[in-house]
Amino acid sequence: QVQLVESGGGSVQHGGSLRLSCSVSGLTFSVYCMAWFRQAPGKERERVARIFRGDTSYSDSVKGRFTISQDNGENVLYLQMNSLKPEDTALYFCAARVAFCGFSWDEYTYRGQGTQVTVSA
């Protein structure tokens, strides 16, 4: 059974940092694209970062501030978030899809429940 469990969210001031973790069980990173999505109130869910076999990609809104990585031995996916802005406030989710990295949430087979990030001005 595949499970994705996010942690590490919280409240931080503008300019601060957080590191999100996604503990993964039941799948092998080498054949799955792993991604972080976020959804702010009243906005569509957007993919902010993804990693597949070491190759990473970021949305323009987070490029240069966020870093996605994974620990293959521990089966944990990370999102290091630096220089946080109030507009980064959202519920953050991790997701997995076999063999291909799509942009849409609906394309990902396995999804976590989310962890809240709140950035104050």
Side-chain angles (χ1 to χ4, degrees):
Q1 182 180 359
V2 176
Q3 283 191 317
L4 282 66
V5 180
E6 302 94 339
S7 61
S11 296
V12 65
Q13 288 190 327
H14 187 177
S17 298
L18 282 173
R19 188 176 79 160
L20 305 184
S21 299
C22 174
S23 187
V24 181
S25 59
L27 62 80
T28 304
F29 278 161
S30 63
V31 297
Y32 279 85
C33 178
M34 302 300 301
W36 286 98
F37 285 80
R38 70 183 181 187
Q39 187 167 24
K43 294 188 177 181
E44 290 191 0
R45 201 168 311 205
E46 66 166 333
R47 194 188 78 180
V48 296
R50 65 89 173 149
I51 184 168
F52 183 43
R53 293 179 178 174
D55 182 64
T56 60
S57 180
Y58 301 90
S59 66
D60 288 343
S61 60
V62 307
K63 196 174 295 181
R65 299 187 298 121
F66 290 13
T67 303
I68 188 171
S69 62
Q70 59 192 43
D71 184 326
N72 294 327
E74 296 294 326
N75 254 35
V76 180
L77 178 72
Y78 298 104
L79 186 68
Q80 177 67 43
M81 306 186 296
N82 298 328
S83 303
L84 282 162
K85 306 174 182 179
E87 51 263 44
D88 294 317
T89 295
L91 192 58
Y92 283 73
F93 304 84
C94 59
R97 177 182 177 176
V98 66
F100 183 75
C101 296
F103 284 94
S104 170
W105 174 252
D106 292 338
E107 296 178 274
Y108 285 76
T109 309
Y110 303 108
R111 311 164 197 173
Q113 294 299 307
T115 185
Q116 179 67 38
V117 171
T118 302
V119 184
S120 57

